[in-house]
Amino acid sequence: MELDGKVAVVTGGTRGVGAGIARALVGAGAQVVVCARRAPEVPQSGTEFVPLDVRDPDAVRRFFAGLPRMDVLVNNAGGAPHRLLTAADAERHARVVELNLVAPLTVSLAAHDHLRRTKGSIVMIGSVSGGRPSPGTAAYGAAKAGLESLARSMAVEWAPDIRVNTLVVGMVRTELSHLHYGDRDGLAAVSRTVPLGRLAEPSDVGAAAVFLASDAAAYISGASLLVHGGGERPAFLDAATANKEL
């Protein structure tokens, strides 16, 4: 398989998108270590769980120092609640930036020597929020924009030893989707805004992560791969009174 014999680490890999990525990596033949603050309710077949808060630099460095080898790092841990800018002080918003931008940098630096030795790969899990206005999650969007920029710079600084790419992920159906999109009717309505007619499944993101981590992407570095079902339909098309066949 694509990743036979490879050791992969997935941060935030116990649920949602992270769990989908971990399952895909296992399916591709990798030995997978998943990290999160809390253990999964149901252990994931083929993975090893290690408790880790990626916002704790000392703990991150100890974890990677204890690994005998690694070939793939997926910086997936992240997220943010809905919070308007004026609903919190700057310090609270800074915690979102810390989790979604500073922590992936901390993790990548701690993993650098392992990945340099194995000619490995880093996959950043970005978001479409980093490339468009993100009202209600402004700090998250800013952090994801920074993450994509960080990945491009890493790809240059750490070449030719380490490849670094970003998956720019759109809306995904997970066990927490209701917090963002509402009930079943809300999910259906949101799905209709996506050109492909549905939200992504975690397995869709996992398949893309396997590709970027594999030798099939051996000449791809510093790239951003859009995994968003075609993006968002321009609002003006629905507002306009002409060309209604579009």
Side-chain angles (χ1 to χ4, degrees):
M1 289 186 284
E2 299 101 317
L3 299 176
D4 274 350
K6 305 290 188 182
V7 178
V9 173
V10 182
T11 66
T14 58
R15 65 182 185 182
V17 169
I21 293 170
R23 286 191 293 269
L25 292 169
V26 169
Q31 176 184 335
V32 180
V33 180
V34 297
C35 305
R37 288 184 295 165
R38 290 179 291 274
E41 294 181 4
V42 179
Q44 297 181 73
S45 177
T47 70
E48 175 188 355
F49 170 73
V50 176
L52 180 66
D53 185 343
V54 294
R55 296 169 299 182
D56 183 340
D58 290 335
V60 168
R61 287 188 281 266
R62 285 194 300 271
F63 166 71
F64 283 101
L67 286 179
R69 172 196 173 101
M70 71 174 298
D71 304 87
V72 178
L73 169 63
V74 181
N75 273 310
N76 168 76
H82 179 86
R83 181 182 293 127
L84 296 175
L85 284 170
T86 54
D89 55 27
E91 290 83 356
R92 179 67 65 87
H93 294 300
R95 293 176 61 185
V96 174
V97 177
E98 178 187 20
L99 174 61
N100 291 280
L101 177 57
V102 179
L105 173 58
T106 300
V107 171
S108 298
L109 287 169
H112 174 270
D113 287 350
H114 281 302
L115 295 170
R116 180 177 53 81
R117 283 191 292 269
T118 60
K119 303 292 185 181
S121 171
I122 296 174
V123 180
M124 302 290 197
I125 304 303
S127 171
V128 294
S129 295
R132 58 155 170 75
S134 299
T137 55
Y140 174 80
K144 289 299 188 180
L147 185 66
E148 197 172 349
S149 176
L150 175 65
R152 288 194 294 267
S153 295
M154 274 185 182
V156 174
E157 285 198 23
W158 293 358
D161 299 320
I162 303 171
R163 294 187 300 108
V164 187
N165 293 290
T166 303
L167 290 179
V168 181
V169 179
M171 297 178 288
V172 185
R173 183 186 295 274
T174 72
E175 58 268 40
L176 298 179
S177 292
H178 63 283
L179 298 178
H180 301 283
Y181 313 123
D183 59 14
R184 184 173 60 183
D185 289 341
L187 282 168
V190 170
S191 295
R192 289 193 293 271
T193 71
V194 180
L196 288 187
R198 65 175 179 88
L199 273 62
E201 298 294 337
S203 59
D204 294 313
V205 185
V210 167
F211 166 66
L212 287 181
S214 74
D215 289 343
Y219 199 64
I220 300 175
S221 193
S224 296
L225 176 59
L226 298 173
V227 186
H228 61 7
E232 298 178 355
R233 177 179 170 84
F236 80 86
L237 290 176
D238 296 319
T241 57
N243 302 315
K244 297 307 292 184
E245 71 275 10
L246 293 176

